[in-house]
Amino acid sequence: MPRPTKQQIDDEILETAATLFARHGFKETSIQRIADAVGYSKTGLLHRYPTKEALQQAVVDRVLRDIREVADGVRDQPPGPERDRAAVTGIARLAMEGRGTVSLLLSGLASEQENDLGCTLEAIGEVIFECFAADPETDPVRAARVIGALGALAVVGVTLREKPLAVTLDDLVDLSYDALGHGRGAAK
């Protein structure tokens, strides 16, 4: 059995930390809890990420990078069902690759600017709404649909982690796309 690469180890740590941060909050998630979840010692984890804040920042930076890639991929499409399907597909891919990422994306939608971390999470929320060309201030119903679509991905992601099902990317896309109110026949 080959040893995992440094990148694979970092990916596992960041994904696990994202899941725990989304589930328990940043304040309530300790370095020890993350180390236990990934099977490393606290000292070993601190060797890779010297502080809890450094680990938090690495997680948030990764999530922000991932969602910006989705936004960049749909930016030139006009608002509507095709753009929504493309955005959902990009985010569903993120969910299939790492369930913690989508859970943390939802945290970004609910975050307030209480501190630097809150500002960063709020930036994640802004990029998500940009993906769907949604303005929560002028169209709160549309914003609620976007949150519902991501919520569906997050719930399915957590469920798949606990009890794997034979769910495909297309299944996840259809599930979230339906939450946006387009119905299955649109933009396929």
Side-chain angles (χ1 to χ4, degrees):
M1 182 173 190
R3 286 175 31 133
T5 66
K6 180 184 181 323
Q7 185 62 52
Q8 289 170 326
I9 292 168
D10 284 344
D11 287 346
E12 178 185 11
I13 291 169
L14 295 177
E15 177 58 30
T16 300
T19 300
L20 293 172
F21 289 149
R23 185 177 298 152
H24 303 290
F26 285 101
K27 288 181 183 177
E28 298 300 318
T29 303
S30 67
I31 288 289
Q32 186 65 58
R33 179 180 264 176
I34 296 166
D36 290 346
V38 294
Y40 289 105
S41 68
K42 181 178 177 180
T43 305
L45 186 61
L46 287 170
H47 178 72
R48 294 181 110 61
Y49 299 95
T51 65
K52 180 178 172 181
E53 291 75 21
L55 178 57
Q56 288 173 348
Q57 193 60 53
V59 168
V60 170
D61 288 348
R62 179 178 140 190
V63 170
L64 192 53
R65 180 201 72 215
D66 289 348
I67 194 61
R68 280 187 175 142
E69 287 176 8
V70 173
D72 290 345
V74 301
R75 184 167 284 120
D76 293 337
Q77 294 184 28
E82 289 181 24
R83 179 179 177 146
D84 285 353
R85 183 168 281 283
V88 164
T89 301
I91 296 170
R93 280 194 179 100
L94 293 177
M96 295 291 281
E97 294 167 6
R99 279 96 171 134
T101 297
V102 175
S103 296
L104 202 57
L105 290 175
L106 280 172
S107 297
L109 292 172
S111 184
E112 296 187 18
Q113 293 185 9
E114 295 175 7
N115 53 34
D116 288 344
L117 185 59
C119 290
T120 304
L121 288 175
E122 188 171 1
I124 291 170
E126 289 170 3
V127 176
I128 292 167
F129 286 127
E130 178 187 327
C131 288
F132 293 94
D135 182 352
E137 299 295 322
T138 61
D139 194 350
V141 172
R142 172 95 169 124
R145 286 186 177 278
V146 168
I147 293 167
L150 290 180
L153 283 174
V155 169
V156 171
V158 168
T159 302
L160 291 176
R161 177 167 282 182
E162 302 298 322
K163 185 177 182 181
L165 303 170
V167 176
T168 67
L169 177 66
D170 288 340
D171 294 331
L172 286 178
V173 170
D174 286 344
L175 176 77
S176 292
Y177 191 72
D178 288 352
L180 290 167
H182 296 303
R184 292 189 182 242
K188 268 201 168 180

